[in-house]
Short mmCIF file of all heavy atoms in Angstrom, two decimals:
data_model
loop_
_atom_site.label_atom_id
_atom_site.label_comp_id
_atom_site.label_asym_id
_atom_site.label_seq_id
_atom_site.Cartn_x
_atom_site.Cartn_y
_atom_site.Cartn_z
N ALA A 259 -159.02 118.55 -228.14
CA ALA A 259 -159.47 117.14 -228.31
C ALA A 259 -160.95 116.95 -228.24
O ALA A 259 -161.69 117.86 -227.88
CB ALA A 259 -158.69 116.23 -227.32
N TYR A 260 -161.39 115.80 -228.63
CA TYR A 260 -162.77 115.49 -228.68
C TYR A 260 -163.24 114.38 -227.73
O TYR A 260 -163.74 113.40 -228.16
CB TYR A 260 -163.11 115.08 -230.14
CG TYR A 260 -162.79 116.14 -231.13
CD1 TYR A 260 -161.50 116.38 -231.64
CD2 TYR A 260 -163.73 117.11 -231.49
CE1 TYR A 260 -161.15 117.37 -232.58
CE2 TYR A 260 -163.46 118.22 -232.35
CZ TYR A 260 -162.17 118.31 -232.84
OH TYR A 260 -162.00 119.39 -233.67
N HIS A 261 -163.09 114.74 -226.42
CA HIS A 261 -163.45 113.80 -225.42
C HIS A 261 -164.74 114.28 -224.80
O HIS A 261 -165.00 115.51 -224.75
CB HIS A 261 -162.46 113.66 -224.29
CG HIS A 261 -161.05 113.34 -224.86
ND1 HIS A 261 -160.74 112.24 -225.60
CD2 HIS A 261 -159.86 114.04 -224.84
CE1 HIS A 261 -159.56 112.17 -225.95
NE2 HIS A 261 -158.92 113.29 -225.51
N GLY A 262 -165.48 113.42 -224.17
CA GLY A 262 -166.64 113.78 -223.33
C GLY A 262 -167.67 112.78 -223.22
O GLY A 262 -167.82 111.90 -224.18
N TYR A 263 -168.46 112.73 -222.32
CA TYR A 263 -169.46 111.78 -222.06
C TYR A 263 -170.61 112.03 -223.10
O TYR A 263 -171.20 111.14 -223.65
CB TYR A 263 -170.06 111.83 -220.63
CG TYR A 263 -171.17 110.90 -220.45
CD1 TYR A 263 -170.99 109.54 -220.24
CD2 TYR A 263 -172.47 111.34 -220.40
CE1 TYR A 263 -171.95 108.61 -220.13
CE2 TYR A 263 -173.55 110.46 -220.17
CZ TYR A 263 -173.31 109.14 -220.08
OH TYR A 263 -174.33 108.25 -219.88
N TYR A 264 -170.96 113.30 -223.41
CA TYR A 264 -172.03 113.70 -224.29
C TYR A 264 -171.47 113.66 -225.74
O TYR A 264 -170.43 114.11 -225.96
CB TYR A 264 -172.65 115.01 -223.90
CG TYR A 264 -173.12 115.02 -222.46
CD1 TYR A 264 -172.47 115.66 -221.50
CD2 TYR A 264 -174.29 114.31 -222.12
CE1 TYR A 264 -172.85 115.69 -220.22
CE2 TYR A 264 -174.86 114.33 -220.88
CZ TYR A 264 -174.07 114.98 -219.91
OH TYR A 264 -174.58 114.96 -218.65
N ASP A 265 -172.29 113.20 -226.56
CA ASP A 265 -172.02 113.16 -228.07
C ASP A 265 -171.71 114.51 -228.57
O ASP A 265 -170.72 114.65 -229.34
CB ASP A 265 -173.19 112.65 -228.81
CG ASP A 265 -173.52 111.20 -228.59
OD1 ASP A 265 -172.50 110.40 -228.13
OD2 ASP A 265 -174.59 110.63 -228.94
N GLU A 266 -172.22 115.54 -228.06
CA GLU A 266 -172.01 116.92 -228.53
C GLU A 266 -170.57 117.36 -228.20
O GLU A 266 -169.90 118.02 -228.97
CB GLU A 266 -172.93 117.93 -227.85
CG GLU A 266 -172.82 119.41 -228.38
CD GLU A 266 -173.29 119.53 -229.91
OE1 GLU A 266 -174.04 118.63 -230.43
OE2 GLU A 266 -172.93 120.48 -230.48
N GLU A 267 -170.07 116.95 -227.03
CA GLU A 267 -168.66 117.23 -226.66
C GLU A 267 -167.71 116.54 -227.70
O GLU A 267 -166.66 117.14 -227.98
CB GLU A 267 -168.40 116.67 -225.22
CG GLU A 267 -169.09 117.41 -224.12
CD GLU A 267 -168.74 116.72 -222.77
OE1 GLU A 267 -169.30 115.67 -222.47
OE2 GLU A 267 -167.86 117.35 -222.11
N GLN A 268 -168.08 115.39 -228.09
CA GLN A 268 -167.19 114.63 -229.10
C GLN A 268 -167.25 115.21 -230.43
O GLN A 268 -166.36 114.95 -231.24
CB GLN A 268 -167.48 113.23 -229.07
CG GLN A 268 -167.09 112.55 -227.73
CD GLN A 268 -167.06 111.07 -227.79
OE1 GLN A 268 -167.27 110.39 -228.80
NE2 GLN A 268 -166.61 110.37 -226.76
N LYS A 269 -168.31 115.99 -230.67
CA LYS A 269 -168.37 116.68 -232.03
C LYS A 269 -167.62 118.08 -232.02
O LYS A 269 -166.97 118.32 -232.93
CB LYS A 269 -169.88 116.90 -232.40
CG LYS A 269 -170.61 115.70 -232.76
CD LYS A 269 -172.09 115.82 -233.04
CE LYS A 269 -172.86 114.63 -233.11
NZ LYS A 269 -174.29 114.85 -233.23
N ASN A 272 -162.88 120.39 -227.23
CA ASN A 272 -162.67 121.24 -226.11
C ASN A 272 -161.08 121.36 -225.93
O ASN A 272 -160.42 120.64 -226.40
CB ASN A 272 -163.37 120.72 -224.80
CG ASN A 272 -163.58 121.80 -223.83
OD1 ASN A 272 -163.05 122.93 -223.83
ND2 ASN A 272 -164.38 121.56 -222.79
N TYR A 274 -157.86 121.02 -223.27
CA TYR A 274 -157.50 120.20 -222.15
C TYR A 274 -156.15 120.50 -221.78
O TYR A 274 -155.28 120.93 -222.55
CB TYR A 274 -157.49 118.67 -222.55
CG TYR A 274 -158.91 118.15 -222.87
CD1 TYR A 274 -159.49 118.40 -224.13
CD2 TYR A 274 -159.66 117.54 -221.86
CE1 TYR A 274 -160.75 117.89 -224.43
CE2 TYR A 274 -160.98 117.08 -222.18
CZ TYR A 274 -161.43 117.26 -223.50
OH TYR A 274 -162.73 116.94 -223.74
N ARG A 313 -160.48 109.53 -229.15
CA ARG A 313 -161.78 109.98 -228.54
C ARG A 313 -162.09 108.97 -227.31
O ARG A 313 -162.07 107.79 -227.59
CB ARG A 313 -162.94 110.05 -229.45
CG ARG A 313 -162.76 111.12 -230.47
CD ARG A 313 -163.85 111.19 -231.49
NE ARG A 313 -163.51 112.00 -232.59
CZ ARG A 313 -164.14 113.01 -233.06
NH1 ARG A 313 -165.42 113.21 -232.46
NH2 ARG A 313 -163.86 113.78 -233.93
N CYS A 314 -162.40 109.57 -226.20
CA CYS A 314 -162.79 108.86 -225.03
C CYS A 314 -164.01 109.57 -224.35
O CYS A 314 -164.14 110.77 -224.54
CB CYS A 314 -161.68 108.65 -223.98
SG CYS A 314 -160.24 107.76 -224.60
N ARG A 315 -164.78 108.86 -223.67
CA ARG A 315 -165.87 109.47 -222.88
C ARG A 315 -165.44 110.06 -221.60
O ARG A 315 -165.94 111.11 -221.16
CB ARG A 315 -167.01 108.41 -222.57
CG ARG A 315 -167.60 107.91 -223.83
CD ARG A 315 -168.97 108.44 -224.09
NE ARG A 315 -169.62 107.98 -225.31
CZ ARG A 315 -170.31 108.60 -226.15
NH1 ARG A 315 -170.48 109.90 -225.94
NH2 ARG A 315 -170.78 108.12 -227.24
N LEU A 316 -164.53 109.40 -220.90
CA LEU A 316 -164.09 109.83 -219.53
C LEU A 316 -162.59 110.24 -219.44
O LEU A 316 -161.81 109.52 -220.07
CB LEU A 316 -164.36 108.64 -218.56
CG LEU A 316 -165.81 108.15 -218.40
CD1 LEU A 316 -165.80 107.00 -217.43
CD2 LEU A 316 -166.76 109.22 -218.03
N LEU A 317 -162.36 111.29 -218.70
CA LEU A 317 -160.94 111.63 -218.43
C LEU A 317 -160.23 110.49 -217.73
O LEU A 317 -159.02 110.35 -217.85
CB LEU A 317 -160.92 112.90 -217.57
CG LEU A 317 -161.64 114.18 -218.17
CD1 LEU A 317 -161.49 115.36 -217.18
CD2 LEU A 317 -160.93 114.54 -219.55
N ILE A 320 -158.70 108.23 -220.25
CA ILE A 320 -157.57 108.71 -220.84
C ILE A 320 -156.37 108.65 -220.01
O ILE A 320 -155.24 108.26 -220.36
CB ILE A 320 -157.76 110.19 -221.23
CG1 ILE A 320 -158.98 110.40 -222.17
CG2 ILE A 320 -156.54 110.84 -221.91
CD1 ILE A 320 -159.42 111.75 -222.26
N LYS A 344 -160.26 119.43 -218.12
CA LYS A 344 -161.09 119.86 -219.15
C LYS A 344 -161.65 121.29 -218.91
O LYS A 344 -162.22 121.64 -217.80
CB LYS A 344 -162.26 118.94 -219.45
CG LYS A 344 -163.29 119.45 -220.43
CD LYS A 344 -164.64 118.64 -220.41
CE LYS A 344 -164.41 117.26 -220.89
NZ LYS A 344 -165.76 116.52 -221.11
N PRO A 348 -169.30 121.11 -219.41
CA PRO A 348 -170.75 121.33 -219.55
C PRO A 348 -171.49 120.84 -218.26
O PRO A 348 -172.00 119.73 -218.28
CB PRO A 348 -171.15 120.59 -220.79
CG PRO A 348 -170.22 119.43 -220.84
CD PRO A 348 -168.92 119.98 -220.27
#
Side-chain angles (χ1 to χ4, degrees):
Y260 297 88
H261 307 299
Y263 178 77
Y264 300 106
D265 291 340
E266 187 66 19
E267 292 179 280
Q268 293 199 354
K269 289 177 188 170
N272 202 346
Y274 296 83
R313 290 176 195 232
C314 298
R315 297 256 180 219
L316 301 178
L317 298 179
I320 302 164
K344 176 191 291 189

